[in-house]
Amino acid sequence: MKKSISKYFNLSKAMIAALILATSSTDFVSAQATEVKTAVGTTKIWGTVDGVSVIGLVQGPSAAAADLQIACVFEYTEGDIFNPPALPKDLNGMVHLDEALKGIITDVRKSGKFQGHALETLLITPPKGSLASKKLLLIGLGNRNSFDAELMKEVGSVAMREALRLKVTTASFASDLKDAGIDSPTALVAENVVLGAFDAYRAQSYLKGENYSDNLKLKKLILLAGPAFFTTAGGGIQEAISKLNAKK
């Protein structure tokens, strides 16, 4: 009798656990399906830091108009931007970027000419009409299996220093983490990019004040996001702006 009761309670617990799991899964799928996506082309000024406008844009890096487009890639593994867990081709900005440049990004990565080590950079001058931007800067993210969102502060700094060195007035940034299939914390990544970028900007601005630097030309920093991540990324960007302006 006791064994029968024990089996009954164990079965009941299993059924309840299965029901909770099924309900949770249904809620998750429902939330994904009902998630509001921002239209491609949507742009918003999230704020300004030291006179530089920080702008959000729903667009892929191949189609974003800027003097300098910045995109990030991990160390190469065979087919990494084309195969799961990477996003499908129609949603994958890095694939569009590579195709617009006739595969040169895959070429330099696969051949080892650009290995994608953390903070490694490569500057590309796109053929006229291939991209909406005048220059493309690749920044390495290192090993995808050890990615940490803190790295994006340093990535943001590298991106800003290159933008200032090149004397551009508009720079557009795409982390491309989602394209690569990395389940990264969207808001924190965006926040860290902006924090790192303006740490570098302020360092150069200090040098300018001491007459050790040329004028800083940058007027707009554009941060790209996919339709499903624009609002979340914007929250992180605004948090960074608030922190930076509080430190003035």
Side-chain angles (χ1 to χ4, degrees), residues 18-62:
L19 180 60
I20 291 171
L21 182 60
T23 303
S24 299
S25 299
T26 301
D27 289 344
F28 175 76
V29 172
S30 176
Q32 291 288 94
T34 59
E35 183 177 17
V36 177
K37 294 186 177 181
T38 308
V40 173
T42 298
T43 184
K44 181 174 182 176
I45 299 175
W46 294 115
T48 61
V49 179
D50 298 357
V52 178
S53 296
V54 183
I55 300 167
L57 173 62
V58 182
Q59 190 60 270
S62 63

Side-chain angles (χ1 to χ4, degrees), residues 49-52 160-161 163-169 197-209 212-220:
V49 179
D50 298 357
V52 178
M160 178 60 78
R161 289 195 179 98
L164 296 177
R165 184 180 67 82
L166 293 168
K167 294 180 169 49
V168 300
T169 59
F198 281 98
D199 278 350
Y201 184 90
R202 285 178 170 175
Q204 203 67 36
S205 182
Y206 172 78
L207 291 177
K208 174 63 179 70
Y212 286 101
S213 173
D214 294 333
N215 289 329
L216 280 59
K217 302 290 187 181
L218 190 70
K219 300 299 180 187
K220 296 179 181 179

Side-chain angles (χ1 to χ4, degrees), residues 21-239:
L21 182 60
T23 303
S24 299
S25 299
T26 301
D27 289 344
F28 175 76
V29 172
S30 176
Q32 291 288 94
T34 59
E35 183 177 17
V36 177
K37 294 186 177 181
T38 308
V40 173
T42 298
T43 184
K44 181 174 182 176
I45 299 175
W46 294 115
T48 61
V49 179
D50 298 357
V52 178
S53 296
V54 183
I55 300 167
L57 173 62
V58 182
Q59 190 60 270
S62 63
D67 295 325
L68 175 67
Q69 175 63 55
I70 299 137
C72 303
V73 290
F74 288 100
E75 293 170 352
Y76 181 77
T77 56
E78 186 66 32
D80 57 357
I81 67 172
F82 302 104
N83 303 322
L87 290 181
K89 178 180 176 180
D90 59 331
L91 300 175
N92 195 316
M94 180 53 69
V95 170
H96 298 164
L97 198 57
D98 191 44
E99 289 186 343
L101 295 175
K102 298 183 178 179
I104 193 64
I105 295 174
T106 294
D107 180 13
V108 295
R109 295 178 69 226
K110 187 172 184 177
S111 65
K113 293 179 177 64
F114 177 72
Q115 296 188 6
H117 297 322
L119 308 181
E120 182 183 0
T121 61
L122 184 69
L123 185 64
I124 297 172
T125 300
K128 188 174 181 179
S130 58
L131 300 182
S133 56
K134 297 176 182 177
K135 299 280 186 182
L136 172 64
L137 177 71
L138 297 182
I139 301 181
L141 296 176
N143 188 326
R144 67 170 54 240
N145 296 321
S146 57
F147 174 75
D148 189 310
E150 280 296 303
L151 175 66
M152 299 312 290
K153 289 180 181 177
E154 297 177 75
V155 171
S157 291
V158 169
M160 178 60 78
R161 289 195 179 98
E162 286 298 294
L164 296 177
R165 184 180 67 82
L166 293 168
K167 294 180 169 49
V168 300
T169 59
T170 58
S172 173
F173 183 93
S175 71
D176 293 300
L177 293 171
K178 301 298 184 185
D179 293 347
I182 301 297
D183 186 19
S184 56
T186 302
L188 181 59
V189 165
E191 178 182 344
N192 284 348
V193 169
V194 175
L195 289 174
F198 281 98
D199 278 350
Y201 184 90
R202 285 178 170 175
Q204 203 67 36
S205 182
Y206 172 78
L207 291 177
K208 174 63 179 70
E210 298 295 317
N211 298 314
Y212 286 101
S213 173
D214 294 333
N215 289 329
L216 280 59
K217 302 290 187 181
L218 190 70
K219 300 299 180 187
K220 296 179 181 179
L221 176 62
I222 303 165
L223 288 104
L224 305 184
F229 305 106
F230 181 74
T231 301
T232 303
I237 293 167
Q238 288 178 308
E239 180 68 19

